[in-house]
């Protein structure tokens, strides 16, 4: 009896867990006739271009709102309204009957004004995000990063991953706006501003680096902070230094695909020569052939890399 | 004689295995229905969504149970046949010990491969039923993109990958055999418990090695691989796969030898 009750209880709990999101209250976004804004309760959200905003959408069940239109549009098949993690932004995807889709972003009215101000400001409080490790960020003033005149970035950056996002921050509205990137070259650190370089999306790729204009960073205090952060970053990349890490890799590969098959080769040889029992001789021959083949292949691969 | 042994080894396993396989397949087809309900637009009644969600969870568990059952059935057969009272009869059969081990190895490998195939079929049919046209479109896109990038290397890589999986199957079966045999030699009581503990230790060591390689590759220890010229990358990968297959086959041969030697010299069923 107890077992049956426990079983029923487990099943009910399972159903409860799965059904909870489905029972969640319906949330409605009331769109204006021209789609320039929508309201949720008394809160107004206006449409704006959020290309430079670091907004995160995770597609969780409770982040979705139901769209209610001021005037029905027969061309529209479906509208998905998703709220961002910081709650200030919405991603609206409109699917039309002809199969085309339109993505647009909306933001709380006052937050949108602050966002636009952050985009145009050169006085903003910034955060330099070294991306790895996760809590590796330092604060700086944007005008401090741009104190030296911009020159062409002729040097190569050190590694593909040696660039760091610079964000203008507004904590009150939870806004993180991409302003530019910080590069590490052999000469030191450089700040590249997106608006100065006419970049309209915060994603640029190594092929573009040499054509960029960037500000060399000369502020001693800031340089110290940057070097510390860079050390933390590099420390995660290679705990023993790059050369030693590479050497460890090669030693492990030689040990694994070189010495182990070589050891088996010797074992196979010994079994073939010394063993009196036919079964062991046969095993020895098989091990000899397979270990020999493995060794030959890995020697071939080594030559391919070296040549 | 090997054929006869195989028949006697496979029959008791597949007596139960096919029921589990059929059940998991039918249940997976129902899973496809569950996915269809969960993806339906407009959304169906809440109770139906809840049933479909719970059903999907149970179906996943059912498939996991099928794999575990198949493994237990085949290794239990090996253990009982060799190291319990049945062992006395097994070793009095007029066949060589190598033939006995080979029969068990082929049996376990066939069971593992068949289980893997059924599992793939289950997942494939569940997803195909649940996602319908989207799934086929996705598969076609992925395959055509792969073909565009790899060309004739695609079937070659697929063949080598299948071969690698087969060799890995044989090697992992031999490792389990070795663990069971060592436990039978060392432990007077609780042989099964000892074998499981050994198996955990072995899998711990292998996963530690794998993690060490991943850890080092994260720090760029194998960056020099990226320096290979573009034209050499595809043949390099193919040759590397062949090397890996030969390496695991060497380890398997050594494990087979160790297994044979332990049974031949160390095992005392008295």
């Amino acid at each position: 009896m107890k077992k049956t009750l426990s079983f029923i209880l487990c099943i009910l709990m399972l159903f409860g867990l799965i059904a909870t999101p489905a029972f969640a209250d319906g949330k409605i976004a009331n769109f204006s006739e021209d789609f320039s804004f929508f309201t949720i309760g008394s809160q107004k959200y206006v449409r704006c271009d959020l290309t430079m905003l670091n907004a995160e959408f995770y597609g969780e069940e409770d982040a979705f709102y139901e769209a209610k239109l001021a005037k029905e549009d027969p061309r529209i098949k479906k509208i998905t309204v998703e709220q961002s993690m910081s709650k200030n932004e919405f991603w609206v995807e409109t699917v039309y009957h002809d199969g085309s889709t339109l993505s647009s972003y909306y933001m709380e009215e006052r937050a949108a004004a602050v966002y636009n101000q952050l985009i145009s400001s050169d006085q903003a409080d910034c955060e330099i995000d070294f991306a790895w490790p996760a809590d590796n960020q330092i604060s700086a003033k944007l005008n401090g990063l741009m104190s030296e005149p911009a020159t062409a970035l002729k040097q190569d950056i050190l590694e593909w991953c040696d660039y760091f996002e610079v964000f203008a921050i507004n904590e009150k509205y939870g806004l993180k706006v991409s302003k530019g990137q910080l590069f590490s070259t052999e000469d030191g650190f450089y700040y590249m501003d997106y608006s100065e370089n006419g970049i309209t999306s915060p994603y640029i790729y190594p092929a573009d680096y040499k054509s960029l204009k960037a500000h060399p960073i000369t502020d001693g205090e800031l340089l110290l902070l940057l070097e510390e952060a860079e050390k933390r970053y590099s420390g995660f990349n290679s705990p023993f230094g790059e050369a030693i890490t590479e050497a460890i890799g090669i030693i492990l590969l030689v040990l694994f695909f070189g010495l182990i098959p070589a050891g088996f080769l010797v074992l196979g040889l010994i079994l073939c020569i010394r063993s009196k029992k036919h079964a062991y001789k046969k095993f020895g021959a098989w091990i000899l052939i397979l270990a020999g083949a493995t060794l030959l292949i890995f020697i071939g691969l080594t030559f391919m890399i070296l040549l | 004689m090997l054929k006869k042994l195989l028949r006697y080894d496979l029959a008791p396993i597949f007596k139960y295995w096919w029921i589990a396989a059929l059940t998991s397949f039918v249940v997976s087809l129902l899973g496809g229905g569950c996915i269809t309900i969960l993806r339906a637009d407009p959304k169906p009644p809440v109770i139906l969504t809840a049933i479909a969600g719970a059903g999907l969870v149970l179906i996943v568990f059912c498939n996991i149970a099928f794999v575990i059952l198949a493994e237990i059935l085949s290794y239990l057969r090996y253990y009982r046949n060799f190291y319990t009272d049945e062992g006395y009869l097994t070793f009095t059969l007029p066949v060589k010990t190598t033939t006995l081990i080979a029969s068990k190895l082929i049996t376990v490998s066939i069971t593992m491969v068949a289980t893997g195939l059924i599992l793939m079929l289950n997942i494939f049919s569940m997803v195909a039923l649940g996602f319908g046209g989207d799934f086929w479109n996705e598969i076609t896109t992925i395959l055509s993109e792969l073909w565009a990038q790899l060309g004739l290397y695609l079937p070659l890589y697929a063949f080598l990958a299948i071969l690698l999986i087969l060799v890995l199957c044989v090697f992992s079966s031999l490792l389990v055999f070795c663990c069971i045999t060592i436990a039978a030699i060392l432990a007077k009581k609780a042989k099964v418990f000892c074998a499981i503990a050994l198996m955990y230790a072995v899998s711990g060591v292998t996963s530690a090695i794998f993690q060490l390689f991943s850890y080092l590759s994260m720090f760029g220890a194998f960056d020099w691989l990226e320096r290979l010229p573009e034209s050499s990358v595809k043949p390099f990968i193919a040759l590397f796969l062949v090397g890996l297959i030969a390496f695991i086959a060497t380890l398997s041969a050594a494990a087979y030898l160790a297994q044979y030697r332990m049974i031949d010299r160390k095992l005392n069923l008295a």
Side-chain angles (χ1 to χ4, degrees):
Chain A
M1 188 64 186
K2 265 185 187 172
K3 277 183 186 169
T4 320
L5 276 173
S6 313
F7 179 72
I8 292 169
L9 203 65
C10 283
I11 295 289
L12 283 176
M13 277 172 70
L14 196 63
F15 270 65
L17 275 175
I18 292 158
T20 308
F23 278 115
D25 289 338
K27 296 176 284 187
I28 296 166
N30 297 292
F31 279 84
S32 66
E33 207 166 307
D34 61 352
F35 288 92
S36 61
F37 70 90
F38 67 76
T39 54
I40 294 172
S42 59
Q43 196 72 267
K44 190 177 175 186
Y45 296 87
V46 294
R47 188 169 58 197
C48 51
D49 172 20
L50 297 183
T51 320
M52 289 297 180
L53 188 74
N54 188 23
E56 290 168 321
F57 295 89
Y58 283 108
E60 284 168 5
E61 187 87 13
D62 59 351
F64 289 98
Y65 283 67
E66 192 186 322
K68 197 176 170 189
L69 307 186
K71 189 182 162 192
E72 281 304 315
D73 188 336
R75 294 171 304 165
I76 294 173
K77 189 181 172 189
K78 190 186 173 188
I79 297 181
T80 313
V81 182
E82 186 187 346
Q83 194 174 30
S84 72
M85 290 295 284
S86 69
K87 312 282 182 198
N88 276 327
E89 304 88 34
F90 283 85
W91 174 26
V92 177
E93 190 185 51
T94 311
V95 182
Y96 292 93
H97 282 290
D98 64 2
S100 59
T101 57
L102 175 73
S103 279
S104 45
Y105 292 89
Y106 290 76
M107 194 186 245
E108 196 270 317
E109 211 174 9
R110 278 164 301 173
V114 176
Y115 166 72
N116 287 325
Q117 197 189 339
L118 283 178
I119 290 272
S120 54
S121 166
D122 58 358
Q123 304 286 323
D125 286 327
C126 284
E127 178 189 278
I128 302 166
D129 191 345
F130 280 70
W132 183 263
D135 56 351
N136 199 10
Q137 288 116 8
I138 58 172
S139 301
K141 282 273 183 195
L142 191 61
N143 51 3
L145 292 171
M146 295 164 76
S147 57
E148 296 290 324
T151 52
L153 187 81
K154 285 175 187 152
Q155 302 89 341
D156 271 330
I157 57 163
L158 289 178
E159 294 282 341
W160 72 268
C161 54
D162 268 341
Y163 62 90
F164 318 106
E165 285 279 330
V166 178
F167 297 106
I169 303 284
N170 183 292
E171 280 176 8
K172 189 181 171 192
Y173 290 98
L175 296 176
K176 209 171 166 184
V177 178
S178 295
K179 292 295 284 183
Q181 284 183 21
L182 197 84
F183 297 133
S184 167
T185 72
E186 281 184 358
D187 289 352
F189 292 96
Y190 287 81
Y191 170 68
M192 184 276 298
D193 194 76
Y194 288 140
S195 63
E196 276 184 354
N197 284 277
I199 294 168
T200 50
S201 161
Y203 303 104
I204 57 159
Y205 298 97
D208 303 320
Y209 287 143
K210 279 192 178 177
S211 60
L212 297 171
K213 277 188 173 178
H215 301 265
I217 293 170
T218 49
D219 180 342
E221 219 169 289
L222 183 58
L223 275 173
L224 270 178
L225 284 172
L226 289 171
E227 276 160 16
E228 274 300 308
E230 169 73 6
K231 263 185 207 162
R232 285 200 292 272
Y233 179 89
S234 308
F236 263 78
N237 249 347
S238 171
F240 323 106
E242 263 171 47
I244 295 176
T245 311
E246 200 166 312
I248 293 172
I250 292 170
I251 289 167
L252 266 178
L253 281 182
V254 169
L255 189 80
F256 229 81
F257 297 117
L259 288 187
I260 293 178
F264 281 123
L265 195 83
V266 174
L267 175 78
L269 212 63
I270 291 170
L271 281 172
C272 275
I273 298 166
R274 303 278 312 263
S275 210
K276 284 166 191 162
K277 226 174 168 181
H278 176 68
Y280 286 113
K281 272 191 190 295
K282 214 169 152 185
F283 276 130
W286 271 108
I287 292 174
L288 190 71
I289 292 165
L290 288 168
T294 312
L295 258 182
L296 276 178
I297 290 165
F298 282 100
I299 288 169
L301 288 174
T302 314
F303 270 106
M304 273 178 91
I305 291 169
L306 293 176
L307 297 174
Chain B
M1 198 60 194
L2 184 66
K3 269 187 190 170
K4 264 188 186 174
L5 280 174
L6 275 175
R7 208 169 53 232
Y8 282 114
D9 280 334
L10 286 168
I13 293 171
F14 278 78
K15 194 167 79 180
Y16 299 105
W17 182 90
W18 79 267
I19 301 171
L22 189 68
T23 314
S24 73
F25 179 66
V26 173
V27 160
S28 298
L29 290 182
L30 292 176
C34 291
I35 296 174
T36 314
I37 294 170
L38 290 171
R39 291 183 73 226
D41 192 20
K43 280 190 172 177
V46 171
I47 188 75
L48 202 62
T49 314
I51 290 171
L56 207 57
V57 174
L58 290 176
I59 287 157
V60 171
F61 279 124
C62 178
N63 274 294
I64 294 170
F66 166 55
V67 176
I68 294 172
L69 181 84
E71 293 232 341
I72 289 176
L73 275 176
S74 38
Y75 291 124
L76 204 64
R77 172 88 193 150
Y78 169 77
Y79 170 72
R80 277 193 182 153
N81 246 215
F82 274 22
Y83 305 118
T84 59
D85 293 345
E86 273 182 49
Y88 292 104
L89 295 171
T90 307
F91 288 107
T92 53
L93 286 171
V95 282
K96 286 186 278 183
T97 314
T98 46
T99 317
L100 283 173
I101 302 171
S103 160
K104 296 288 179 278
L105 184 61
I106 294 168
T107 306
V108 174
S109 301
I110 289 175
T111 316
M112 279 170 87
V113 169
T115 308
L117 286 176
I118 293 291
L119 194 67
M120 273 166 65
L121 179 73
N122 288 353
I123 295 169
F124 193 78
S125 41
M126 189 157 72
V127 177
L129 271 176
F131 290 88
D134 294 349
F135 172 70
W136 295 112
N137 290 341
E138 197 68 28
I139 290 278
T140 322
T141 315
I142 291 170
L143 279 179
S144 54
E145 272 176 19
L146 280 174
W147 179 259
Q149 276 182 15
L150 300 173
L152 279 173
Y153 277 97
L154 181 64
L156 178 68
Y157 287 165
F159 171 72
L160 289 175
I162 291 168
L163 209 60
L164 183 64
I165 290 168
L166 284 176
V167 182
L168 275 170
C169 256
V170 170
F171 178 57
S172 65
S173 312
L174 277 165
L175 270 187
V176 179
F177 284 0
C178 281
C179 290
I180 294 172
T181 310
I182 293 169
I185 292 166
L186 295 179
K188 291 266 185 276
K189 286 175 185 174
K191 289 176 184 173
V192 175
F193 177 75
C194 186
I196 292 170
L198 267 172
M199 201 52 229
Y200 265 103
V202 169
S203 65
V205 170
T206 45
S207 69
I209 292 168
F210 179 73
Q211 275 181 13
L212 184 67
F213 272 100
S214 329
Y215 185 72
L216 282 170
S217 67
M218 195 175 84
F219 294 138
F222 308 121
D223 269 359
W224 39 269
L225 279 175
E226 287 168 13
R227 289 174 213 150
L228 274 173
E230 189 71 30
S231 57
S232 311
V233 173
K234 286 172 193 168
F236 183 90
I237 294 172
L239 199 59
F240 179 75
L241 282 174
V242 175
L244 209 57
I245 290 165
F247 180 63
I248 293 163
T250 313
L251 293 180
S252 305
Y256 199 103
L257 170 70
Q259 169 75 5
Y260 174 74
R261 195 179 152 78
M262 280 191 287
I263 291 176
D264 192 34
R265 300 270 174 95
K266 305 269 183 198
L267 190 67
N268 182 10
L269 289 169

